[in-house]
């Protein structure tokens, strides 16, 4: 590579690459990225490949592009002077990462991935965002099996680790929750010396994580929604009003007040995690009370939009990015508490995937939660979610959809003006495609 080259960012998608980026050719299940290197070069980029389809002085051959990409991203991290925060957990990783990233951005130069870049491809892409001026880096770390978090976090070299919670997400490769907790705890092993772990005291594996952190000579700071748990950061009270809400947070026996919008009320645990992280670098007395008010809920994780059709105005809640037991319960509770007089609330549920042998059991248990809710009708689409449907009260049962056309027909023909609809499923179920069409 020419020593005068000014490579800014990296991407594995030739369609989304910009001049001076580095294109990394990755062979996937459907496409061989090596074939698109020439397309990237024509856009003014360098490219690295591990299979040569086109020859060009800006296309560089390596033995393994992914391995080389990780090494390069690690070098970017090594020469930076950032304060790195790494976030993992079964649910809420992306929402917490975005809230922390947006909050730190209001105070100092901060980078954080705009999407859920938390795997072996996403982490190096995120590391390549680091610039000379960057002070804070916020990274998300995911996993499907043991060892992945340990491998990815060693490239991030975090000063702070944060574990949101432990649930059955991705349990298909594990025997039980304890094994998931052990895999998530791999993050603790790669925290920098004298670093800090931010831990959820409401999670049943809190003590397990704390013991491991102490064993690794790390400081811990805890957060909890409840005052009586003795956490370092907890909710004191929430004062609701029409124009704004005040969330009073207790931090080390002192009260700090923050204004939050109505849509952020369900995200109090994410706010506490963010305050915990902020307290490690900044004086909370000097932080703006409105620091959380510009937070934007990520697409597919509870964002809302209006869908207009046939003189009807329907409010749709998009929860189609992912679904697991914690995120589904969170979404149902949030939707259940929304007060909309003279209108009905409908729910379309798709399968929670990657639950392995626990799939049927975990889907069945949600019928009890739905039967006690104020949601008018529940509709389902998928193999496992039918077990939820079969246990619903008769008055709660909508329909079992067999195809996506039936879903569109229901929204267009059966829903009425001012009704609300939440759609929730794992990403691979494909209900996000319905959301995309409705948004268009």
């Amino acid at each position: 590579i020419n020593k005068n080259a000014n490579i800014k960012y990296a991407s594995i998608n030739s369609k989304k690459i910009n001049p001076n980026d580095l294109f990394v050719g990755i062979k996937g299940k459907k496409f061989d990225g090596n074939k698109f290197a020439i397309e990237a070069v024509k856009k003014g980029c360098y490219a690295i490949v591990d299979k040569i389809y086109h020859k060009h002085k800006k296309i560089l051959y390596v033995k393994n592009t992914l391995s080389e990409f990780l090494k390069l991203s690690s070098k970017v991290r090594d020469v930076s002077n950032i304060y790195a925060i790494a976030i993992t957990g079964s649910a809420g990783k992306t929402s917490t990462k975005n809230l922390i990233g947006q909050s730190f951005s209001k105070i100092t130069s901060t980078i954080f991935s705009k999407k859920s870049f938390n795997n072996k491809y996403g982490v190096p892409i995120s590391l390549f965002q680091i610039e000379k001026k960057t002070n804070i880096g916020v990274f998300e770390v995911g996993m499907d099996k043991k060892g992945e978090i340990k491998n990815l976090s060693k490239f991030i070299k975090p000063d702070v680790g944060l574990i949101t919670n432990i649930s059955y997400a991705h349990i298909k490769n594990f025997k039980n929750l304890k094994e998931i907790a052990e895999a998530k705890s791999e993050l603790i092993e790669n925290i920098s010396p004298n670093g800090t772990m931010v831990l959820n005291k409401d999670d049943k594996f809190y003590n397990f994580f704390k013991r491991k952190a102490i064993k690794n000579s790390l400081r811990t700071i805890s957060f909890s929604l409840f005052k009586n748990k003795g956490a370092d950061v907890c909710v004191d009270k929430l004062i609701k009003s029409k124009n704004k809400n005040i969330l009073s947070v207790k931090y080390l026996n002192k009260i700090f007040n923050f204004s939050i919008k109505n849509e952020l009320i369900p995200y109090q645990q994410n706010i506490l995690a963010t305050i915990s992280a902020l307290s490690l670098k900044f004086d909370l007395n000097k932080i703006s009370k409105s620091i959380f008010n510009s937070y934007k809920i990520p697409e597919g994780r509870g964002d809302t939009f209006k869908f207009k059709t046939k003189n009807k105005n329907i409010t749709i809640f998009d929860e189609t990015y992912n679904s697991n037991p914690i995120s589904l319960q969170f979404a149902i509770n949030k939707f259940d508490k929304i007060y909309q007089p003279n209108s009905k609330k409908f729910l379309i549920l798709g399968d929670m995937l990657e639950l392995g042998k626990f799939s049927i059991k975990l889907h069945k248990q949600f019928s009890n939660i739905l039967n006690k809710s104020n949601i008018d009708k529940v509709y389902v689409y998928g193999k496992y979610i039918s077990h939820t449907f079969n246990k619903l009260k008769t008055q709660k049962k909508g329909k079992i959809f067999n195809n996506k056309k039936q879903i569109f027909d229901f929204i267009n023909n059966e829903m009425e003006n001012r009704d609300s609809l939440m759609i929730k499923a794992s990403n691979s179920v494909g209900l996000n495609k319905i959301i995309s069409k409705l948004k268009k």
Side-chain angles (χ1 to χ4, degrees), residues 7 18 36 83 90 136 172 192 194 320 325 359 399 401 423:
I7 294 174
N18 296 309
F36 300 94
Y83 184 76
S90 295
I136 306 287
K172 67 175 183 178
S192 300
N194 302 314
T320 57
S359 294
K399 295 177 183 175
F401 294 126
I423 304 179

Side-chain angles (χ1 to χ4, degrees), residues 267-283:
Y267 293 85
Q268 291 176 53
Q269 201 163 62
N270 306 69
I271 291 173
L272 295 176
T274 301
I275 291 170
S276 301
L278 286 167
S279 72
L280 299 173
K281 285 294 283 183
F282 304 106
D283 183 350

